[in-house]
Amino acid sequence: MTWTREKRYKKYQDWGAQELLELQTKAANSKTITHYHIHPISGLINDPNGFSYYNGEYHLFCQAYPFGPVHGLKSWIHFTSPDLVHWQYRGQAINPDTDKDNAGAYSGSGFVHNGNLLLMYTGNHRDPDWTRIPYQLIDEMDQKGHFHKWDEDLIPQPDHVTEHFRDPQLFEHEGQYFVLVGAQDKKTKTGQIDVFASNDLHNWHEDGYLHFTDKDMGYMIECPNLVFVDQKPVLIFCPQGIDKSVVHYDNIYPNMYIIGDQVDLSKAEFKTNQSSPLNLDEGFDVYATQAFNAPDGNAYAVSWVGLPDLSYPSDNEGWANMYSQVKRLEIKHNKLYQHPVKAIESLRYDKQEITSGMQTGNQYEVKLIIKKGQKGQLHLNANQDLTNGLILDFDTGTDAKLIIDRGQSNPLVNSDYGTRRTIPLNKTEDLDLDIFVDHSLCEIFVNDGEHVATLRFFANEGDQTIGFTAGTQVNGILWKMKSIL
Amino acid sequence: MTWTREKRYKKYQDWGAQELLELQTKAANSKTITHYHIHPISGLINDPNGFSYYNGEYHLFCQAYPFGPVHGLKSWIHFTSPDLVHWQYRGQAINPDTDKDNAGAYSGSGFVHNGNLLLMYTGNHRDPDWTRIPYQLIDEMDQKGHFHKWDEDLIPQPDHVTEHFRDPQLFEHEGQYFVLVGAQDKKTKTGQIDVFASNDLHNWHEDGYLHFTDKDMGYMIECPNLVFVDQKPVLIFCPQGIDKSVVHYDNIYPNMYIIGDQVDLSKAEFKTNQSSPLNLDEGFDVYATQAFNAPDGNAYAVSWVGLPDLSYPSDNEGWANMYSQVKRLEIKHNKLYQHPVKAIESLRYDKQEITSGMQTGNQYEVKLIIKKGQKGQLHLNANQDLTNGLILDFDTGTDAKLIIDRGQSNPLVNSDYGTRRTIPLNKTEDLDLDIFVDHSLCEIFVNDGEHVATLRFFANEGDQTIGFTAGTQVNGILWKMKSIL
């Protein structure tokens, strides 16, 4: 099937129910779809949107295209959770059903206001000649789950930016409302974060581009996201086209962060001692992470596991992409640490001590300590002779590092961007790994969240062996993990 | 909206995807839908079908109409589970897409054969003049979840039965294949269970109507289901129009069972000492229970919670009906006992001792002992002054009985069939109750499964008080229950 533009932007009401039922059935029977991580009911999801706590539960929305594993006419779908682990699908939320969002209800954020949840998003409007006009819009959800779209284009595209003006983050800071918008400067064609302020949510003025670095952030910044972690402002964002001499990265586009000392949004100033942003995830497949400050005092983040402009081997199963688990953020040693939330432990069952050669299944968590001063390999979802599978190549001696190698699992995933990722470790220390596998998804938390590496990988369904290089000193626990979706 | 016949039998491919998405969203946001009992994704479910163990997991299919809370063009949808508690939706299974099932893929059973799962069902064929021809068909599912419909009408409607000839149960017994079919005799217009035998699954001969009682079973028997419990044959079935002098029942149609001593299917004989069948469930809303003998040695049953020809207050929320939890069957004192399966305990969390006036939420289990020699009331999901809610009126003295009264909860449910059900108890014994509430569903297991009463009820969302008549001696535990769907 060829996904022409015409087909991808066909109105939802012009699709047939039978096609949708078949696609949902195909996704539901996929052997590689996740079962304790958010996935599409059918078709594609990408950026997390509107991540928030409202009306006694957590809300998470997804950029979604229900009719195929491609980027088509986007809507928001909705999940809710009592604990950030057990998610319930709540169906369609923002539909692309007005003129202002006629080519998609694009990404945005959630903000609780006057007892309702304001979902601010970019209406992706296309003229008949396919020229884009981005509108910054609000869809307001009440306690009964009813939606009401505001009429206003709240922040018309400024003259000095191109059509690439999207992904509004709406929040309150020091008594004023602010919106950060990802933008491309018209003159310099550089990626920027444009800051707007308001006292009433209706009348907005521009504070200017956020100054958070002197370095060139490439040609576009997507998904700007300011969150406070341990009292410090942290800016999470996706710079596209950033030069690898500024920050090294291996993925097609990186997801980065920078920790500030303070932020003065009225002056569009983000003060930091960090010379450059850092990669948020050291795996292969994280993008568009969205974080928010929850009422419990924590900052939580969730990531799209997938990347723009790439496809995955499972796309032919009627669905594309999933989300990471929710990660609690912390600052330690001037770095961002990411931790599984406590409630993920409620999914564990069938606890076992790990021995090399045992069978893990393909939905599990392993926690293990690899003693210092060793070199070797950990194989996950390997065949019996360990020649296929996901490989973690570790050195806990003086040249301490962890190499994640998905080049020995089949089919390969976007190998144009390399099949290995290297995480530098501290010399001669024990290595602490907390690894979550959910079918074709793997999340590796290294040394209590100092590093996180998230990736897709594809093993043969029957390849479920965990194995170590002979003689490795390792202590580990395996739990099977329950399904929540 | 008027559900004309034309609309109800519109082909699935003539419905729009947008309508389906909206209906799924409405159901997903319903405040009364269940969260640990199987429910429709949208529209209606009724009879459980194809309940079986195959390829390492339990399978349960549902009679389903996805496009509204009404009985329209039926298909089978599919759920799987590792433990009979955690169910995963697997989408559409048997679709009404051939001439033989052009007006619906009606109820049937699952039978593992040669590594595949045979789903035997009734093709509900309608001629252009709407005359019904029932075909007994097989759709064969392989290990990859692919379906292949056999071409044959395996058991053509015999001359001596009317068009009411449906719900085949296919099984093997003493080296031969058998099918029981619910039937209406053409001459007498009585309900019958017609027995067929085969050595090859293709060529069938009729053994005749199953003789299991001398009494009149009304004008039709639906969903005949033979299962072996503790080595005894048990026949579960739904007689329609049975005279209340034969067996008393209150519901529009009963779901009954009879325990046999032995069964000789070649002679269509079911020998029993029981003079009449008994009600399987003593609540308001159980029908079409399907049971099967699992490889673990147990017989498991699951019930449609809903009744033919009736509607429910939640029907306007885009969905209709749900299933009971799976019940393990046992014979004790010549009666059928029904027990929750062990794995249901894995849903429990937040254990608390019960005190009168405490808040339960609306998704919970309570287990309690009411000491003998007491009269009083237990209120569930009541308001604070206990004037609204579900009432269990108990007497554990010499006039021992339990009355379930849903007449004080609003809106009322099918009150034409009464608002109270009475369960006789043994005199002066402690009363043991295990009660499961899942929003608008309540299941009450009495005295370790000697009686089960299943019912829908509707409380105000905020009415979550459990209360006792002052002075009642009671010990009880409350658990909240996790969501699985």
Side-chain angles (χ1 to χ4, degrees), chain A residues 447-459:
Chain A
N447 289 339
D448 195 27
E450 182 179 357
H451 310 269
V452 181
T454 304
L455 62 134
R456 301 290 304 279
F457 77 107
F458 293 84

Side-chain angles (χ1 to χ4, degrees), chain A residues 84-96:
Chain A
L84 297 166
V85 170
H86 293 83
W87 292 100
Q88 293 260 312
Y89 175 61
R90 306 296 286 272
Q92 294 291 127
I94 307 182
N95 291 303

